[in-house]
Amino acid sequence: MWQNFQKRRNFQTVDGKKVGVLALQGDFSLHIKMLNTLGIESKEVKKIEDLKELTHLIIPGGESTTLLNFFQKENWFEPLKDFSRKNKVMGTCAGAILLAEEVENPQQESLKVIPMKIRRNGYGRQVDSFIKKIEKHSFGEKPIEGVFIRAPRIISIKEGVKVLAEINGEPVAVEYKNALALTFHPEVSEEEAVYKYFLRI
């Protein structure tokens, strides 16, 4: 697998995968660190043009309203929607909120990539953040650690959405077509299995 390294305009790829991490705000550096651990060099995505050479995009946690304001001001909505229809995308925490079809608490605009309803700050405020072992998931045989920081909650999903992980019967990771959404932070707990699933390596 690792024999397929290529060089293209100083952007290293593995098996043709060109991975970008949205680097506008949030914890994008930890995602980049995880990809480096797996031997995959990623690109910081700061301009719409950066999407053109990617096959995979990670939208990290942070503040979803801040990202929304930027998307609206800089006209990112349509390029991101178009990218998500053709390529792989993973959103964690705020990234998952942006991927949802419907957002509440409060209602806000989104990319409407995954047909689900999600609630911002679903477990409460910052002080209500928690760490939980996730035993029921599709990322491998071993339990993984879920770090929930001002995390959203997936309230409902529609037909075609696959639940990849759950806690107490409630989904915390889902997949729909090319998109993967997690309400926790795999980059904080360094859960390589999640990234391997996303990249199919």
Side-chain angles (χ1 to χ4, degrees), residues 133-137 140-144 166:
K133 182 181 291 186
I134 304 174
E135 298 188 5
K136 190 171 183 179
H137 64 84
E141 299 298 323
K142 298 179 180 179
I144 61 175
E166 60 180 63

Side-chain angles (χ1 to χ4, degrees), residues 21 28-37 40 42 44:
V21 181
F28 60 87
S29 62
L30 291 180
H31 286 289
I32 291 171
K33 178 183 176 183
M34 288 302 301
L35 293 167
N36 287 340
T37 299
I40 296 179
S42 59
E44 291 187 7

Side-chain angles (χ1 to χ4, degrees), residues 1-2 14-15 17 38 40 195-197 199-201:
M1 173 167 54
W2 306 121
V14 179
D15 289 344
K17 296 178 176 67
L38 294 173
I40 296 179
Y195 294 86
K196 290 179 178 179
Y197 182 94
L199 298 167
R200 301 299 196 271
I201 59 176

Side-chain angles (χ1 to χ4, degrees), residues 129-158:
S129 301
F130 63 96
I131 298 174
K132 179 82 171 179
K133 182 181 291 186
I134 304 174
E135 298 188 5
K136 190 171 183 179
H137 64 84
S138 301
F139 303 118
E141 299 298 323
K142 298 179 180 179
I144 61 175
E145 185 176 79
V147 178
F148 296 82
I149 304 173
R150 288 186 62 189
R153 296 178 80 165
I154 297 172
I155 303 304
S156 62
I157 58 175
K158 295 182 180 179

Side-chain angles (χ1 to χ4, degrees), residues 80-81 84-85 89 98-101 110-116 176-180:
L80 282 173
K81 288 180 181 180
S84 300
R85 283 192 288 265
V89 60
L98 291 169
L99 291 176
E101 180 180 73
S110 64
L111 296 171
K112 304 187 187 307
V113 174
I114 300 178
M116 65 177 180
Y176 180 73
K177 295 183 178 179
N178 296 326
L180 176 64

Side-chain angles (χ1 to χ4, degrees), residues 89-102:
V89 60
M90 179 171 78
T92 60
C93 198
I97 294 171
L98 291 169
L99 291 176
E101 180 180 73
E102 186 178 351

